[in-house]
Amino acid sequence: MAEEDWSDCQDCVAGREAACTRLFTRHAAEITRQMWRFTRNRAACEELVHEVLVEAYLSLARYRPQDVPFVHWLRCIATRVGYRFWKAQARRRRAVVNPFGAVA
């Protein structure tokens, strides 16, 4: 699988859409499960999976298989996206609880 991933990464960077589809379809279920743990909401989960895949696509040229397996690299991106989601949720909750910025 690692060789398949690396080959598809190279093809994806070269602009071959079929390789991108294969690469991300291969790992979409795992990333969806990971994002579900952050959201517990179907629409938000789908949005986060999309965000992960876009970030991964934009960063593919910097991926190096000798450092980590592709799926691990992708899960690291997913974790960062999930943490950003949690931080944004916390900011929204604070804004609702304290809409005028007064110190509690």
Side-chain angles (χ1 to χ4, degrees):
M1 173 117 36
E3 289 179 26
E4 266 183 353
D5 286 342
W6 177 236
S7 174
D8 285 340
C9 283
Q10 290 175 315
D11 289 347
C12 191
V13 169
R16 296 182 188 92
E17 287 183 37
C20 291
T21 301
R22 279 192 311 272
L23 184 63
F24 293 134
T25 301
R26 188 177 306 132
H27 299 290
E30 184 170 350
I31 298 306
T32 300
R33 281 191 301 274
Q34 184 174 354
M35 294 296 90
W36 179 255
R37 292 183 196 116
F38 282 100
T39 64
R40 304 289 187 199
N41 175 289
R42 183 176 300 242
C45 181
E46 289 175 5
E47 195 173 307
L48 291 184
V49 169
H50 182 261
E51 191 174 329
V52 169
L53 298 180
V54 168
E55 277 194 36
Y57 176 78
L58 295 174
S59 302
L60 270 177
R62 293 188 303 272
Y63 169 65
R64 298 291 172 252
Q66 63 273 20
D67 296 337
V68 294
F70 180 77
V71 69
H72 178 77
W73 180 78
L74 194 57
R75 282 191 303 236
C76 288
I77 292 172
T79 299
R80 284 194 306 268
V81 168
Y83 284 154
R84 281 196 310 258
F85 172 77
W86 277 352
K87 287 179 183 180
Q89 294 287 70
R91 280 192 300 272
R92 279 193 282 277
R93 280 193 299 273
R94 281 194 304 270
V96 170
V97 171
N98 197 356
F100 301 108
V103 177

